[in-house]
Amino acid sequence: MNTRQLELEVMRYDPEKDEAPWFQTYTVPCNEDWVILDAINYVKDNLDTTLAYRWSCHMMVCGSCGMMINGEPSLTCKTFIRDLPDKVRVEPLENFPIERDLVVVLDDVMQKLHKVQPYIIRKDDPPPQDKEYIQSRGALAKFKQLTMCINCMCCYAACPQYGLDNNFIGPAALALAHRYNKDSRDQGKSDRLDILADHDGVWECSFVGACSEVCPKHVDPAAAIQQMKIDGAVEFWKQKMGIPGDKS
Amino acid sequence: MSRQPYIRPMSKTTWYMRNKRYKVYVMRELTSFLVAFYSFLTIIALAALASDSPDRWNAFLASQQGTGMTIFHALALVYFLFYQTFPWFKLAPKAMPVYLGEKKLADSYIIIGHYVAWVIVSAFIFWLAGVI
């Protein structure tokens, strides 16, 4: 197996010692089939046990190893060394406070995900106990892509709107809301409308489109948000003209 | 161990220089100045028409036909095409996906539909203006 010397510049920050983050460079002997996460694991195992970072599955499922790789938000388990130059800079995800080294604070996004009511809301009273809600494959196709999100938050790191004003609900949470709005079993669209159509909701998005470009799972939150803008406008005019909403 | 998360604020004045994606976005948004300019030009043209003075209308037309203005309009057209028309038509299927049963209609149909509509509307305006 060919090995290659990779110069890995890693952002370090120790809240108990450092005033501000700084960069530490490690020289890592890498195999060509390694991903960046392998190189970071090598550092942790062989060069510097103090390095803090998050990872779990190493297979694009858990969503915990999102970092900035040469300025681009990406999963480190998905970014191959062979596609990168000999010098690589790794930083924690942009637009989030740094807890320590490559670990960021995600509390804000966790609250936002909760805020959009990401679960099936039914108006049946009481909900049927003994049968499931039937859904056709065609109805599933309308939102299946949106269910692929693994909450890696690369989209938030790419979004300048969130970076400038973190009151914005942001790409992943809005895409998740759209996933439930589009679900034929859900009846909570009007319940979510107040949050989504509010000042910090979909209209804060100016369609830079960076979220969709960096999404490792091709969820396309930018598309979801634009569709919600159209849905929101249609709902608004329906309400103005006294036409009942399409659900609930 | 004490928590003291470090916040890296995004510069409110230079954030768009961070990467190419943001620069392209800002170039797209800057077309709004041209939109404002052409709105202003339309108001001047309407005012000239409303004045019932052929001289004023002809003076307006003459003001738009000099070499400088011709170059400006040509550059504005190219800028619009590359930073408004082409990108927005490309993005249109994202905002309005069409499903035929289980299958999503291919993006190319929606994009081509926009170009066809654009040609028809442009041809109608040229016809109205007596160009064709």
Side-chain angles (χ1 to χ4, degrees):
Chain A
M1 190 75 74
N2 292 331
T3 55
R4 184 175 145 203
Q5 298 295 312
L6 188 75
E7 213 174 304
L8 200 64
E9 274 188 338
V10 181
M11 187 177 269
R12 305 296 310 266
Y13 173 65
D14 182 341
E16 293 185 318
K17 289 186 196 153
D18 302 324
E19 285 287 307
W22 52 285
F23 283 98
Q24 184 163 4
T25 304
Y26 303 96
T27 304
V28 184
C30 298
N31 288 338
E32 276 296 306
D33 62 351
W34 275 16
V35 288
I36 286 293
L37 181 58
D38 295 319
I40 298 172
N41 281 340
Y42 181 91
V43 173
K44 179 83 171 174
D45 293 344
N46 300 286
L47 305 176
D48 189 347
T49 55
T50 65
L51 183 63
Y53 58 102
R54 287 193 181 112
W55 76 287
S56 179
C57 75
H58 200 293
M59 52 192 283
M60 287 176 63
V61 173
C62 74
S64 49
C65 71
M67 296 172 203
M68 305 299 292
I69 303 171
N70 284 344
E72 186 79 356
S74 183
L75 293 180
T76 55
C77 68
K78 170 185 190 238
T79 311
F80 282 89
I81 304 279
R82 60 173 175 258
D83 299 328
L84 295 167
D86 290 336
K87 191 172 176 179
V88 174
R89 177 172 273 205
V90 180
E91 299 166 70
L93 286 177
E94 296 270 11
N95 302 337
F96 292 107
I98 305 172
E99 184 78 60
R100 184 188 181 99
D101 296 338
L102 298 167
V103 178
V104 291
V105 183
L106 292 170
D107 299 4
D108 180 52
V109 178
M110 292 303 143
Q111 281 172 11
K112 284 176 170 138
L113 288 170
H114 179 69
K115 199 174 166 186
V116 300
Q117 303 181 70
Y119 36 80
I120 288 176
I121 297 170
R122 294 291 297 192
K123 306 286 165 148
D124 308 340
D125 190 25
Q129 297 287 321
D130 54 349
K131 61 173 184 173
E132 61 279 347
Y133 298 115
I134 304 295
Q135 184 165 59
S136 71
R137 281 191 297 179
L140 173 66
K142 288 185 179 168
F143 68 87
K144 194 175 178 189
Q145 183 192 14
L146 298 166
T147 67
M148 301 297 169
C149 176
I150 54 172
N151 293 337
C152 67
M153 303 307 157
C154 287
C155 54
Y156 280 81
C159 176
Q161 209 66 44
Y162 182 73
L164 292 165
D165 176 9
N166 67 4
N167 289 314
F168 176 41
I169 295 176
L174 288 171
L176 187 62
H178 194 51
R179 172 249 176 278
Y180 282 94
N181 280 348
K182 283 280 162 199
D183 192 322
S184 60
R185 299 164 299 178
D186 180 80
Q187 297 173 336
K189 193 172 180 180
S190 57
D191 294 11
R192 294 185 195 97
L193 193 64
D194 286 346
I195 302 157
L196 306 180
D198 199 16
H199 180 71
D200 299 321
V202 290
W203 299 104
E204 192 75 354
C205 166
S206 52
F207 206 177
V208 179
C211 52
S212 295
E213 288 183 38
V214 303
C215 178
K217 304 297 275 189
H218 309 292
V219 169
D220 206 350
I225 296 171
Q226 308 325 306
Q227 289 165 28
M228 288 164 98
K229 286 179 185 173
I230 294 173
D231 285 353
V234 168
E235 282 297 313
F236 173 81
W237 284 108
K238 272 184 179 171
Q239 282 176 16
K240 280 268 174 203
M241 295 191 294
I243 303 167
D246 60 354
K247 279 183 198 170
S248 66
Chain B
M1 181 171 159
S2 64
R3 286 188 68 186
Q4 199 179 335
Y6 185 86
I7 294 167
R8 296 167 291 174
M10 191 180 238
S11 162
K12 297 234 186 267
T13 49
T14 59
W15 64 268
Y16 52 86
M17 298 300 285
R18 191 180 275 184
N19 60 45
K20 190 186 165 208
R21 209 175 274 134
Y22 293 176
K23 285 177 197 158
V24 169
Y25 161 74
V26 167
M27 288 295 281
R28 189 185 85 197
E29 296 302 291
L30 283 175
T31 53
S32 58
F33 285 102
L34 282 175
V35 173
F37 173 78
Y38 278 99
S39 305
F40 183 62
L41 210 61
T42 308
I43 292 167
I44 293 173
L46 288 173
L49 274 177
S51 70
D52 266 348
S53 157
D55 289 346
R56 198 169 154 193
W57 173 245
N58 289 329
F60 170 75
L61 287 183
S63 73
Q64 299 304 307
Q65 287 167 355
T67 313
M69 279 315 277
T70 306
I71 292 170
F72 173 79
H73 289 310
L75 289 177
L77 177 65
V78 171
Y79 186 26
F80 258 106
L81 286 176
F82 280 92
Y83 284 102
Q84 277 281 344
T85 314
F86 299 155
W88 281 122
F89 282 5
K90 195 176 151 201
L91 292 170
K94 283 178 178 279
M96 45 178 93
V98 178
Y99 285 89
L100 301 172
E102 288 178 25
K103 292 238 167 105
K104 188 172 170 237
L105 187 69
D107 288 357
S108 55
Y109 286 99
I110 297 168
I111 297 171
I112 291 167
H114 276 75
Y115 279 101
V116 170
W118 179 41
V119 169
I120 291 170
V121 170
S122 300
F124 176 71
I125 290 170
F126 283 137
W127 172 77
L128 211 59
V131 178
I132 54 172

